[in-house]
Amino acid sequence: MKNLIAELLVKLAQKEEESKELVAQVEALEIVVTALLRQMAQPEQQALIESIEGALDDVHPTTDVSDSDAALLQQYLKKLLRHPRT
């Protein structure tokens, strides 16, 4: 029983480490996208945002992706593109 608990704790620690890595990757990408958007002229920035939003609107989620997950992605992209980090 102790071995089982120890194995579960090790797996939990591994999952937590993977989660931290994913959070760091997402935050790094957010910083990069924000910096790139800030370097663009306003018309170019607007064209890029509209292009990304248009491409997202054209994509239809497969049955593997829930509606709530797709909505969450759209919400986050909108936040990232329209209201980047300050």
Side-chain angles (χ1 to χ4, degrees), residues 7 17 23 25 30-31 49-50 52 60 62 78 81:
E7 286 180 38
E17 187 63 29
V23 168
Q25 288 175 1
E30 185 176 343
I31 291 168
I49 290 170
E50 289 173 3
I52 292 170
H60 302 289
T62 64
K78 183 177 181 179
L81 295 173

Side-chain angles (χ1 to χ4, degrees), residues 32-66:
V32 169
V33 167
T34 299
L36 290 171
L37 286 173
R38 287 185 180 158
Q39 294 299 315
M40 298 176 85
Q42 187 63 32
E44 293 170 336
Q45 184 183 50
Q46 190 62 33
L48 178 63
I49 290 170
E50 289 173 3
S51 175
I52 292 170
E53 290 176 342
L56 187 60
D57 289 340
D58 292 341
V59 174
H60 302 289
T62 64
T63 56
D64 296 343
V65 178
S66 69

Side-chain angles (χ1 to χ4, degrees), residues 1-14:
M1 185 64 149
K2 288 182 183 180
N3 287 340
L4 177 61
I5 293 172
E7 286 180 38
L8 290 174
L9 288 173
V10 167
K11 286 183 180 181
L12 182 62
Q14 290 171 339

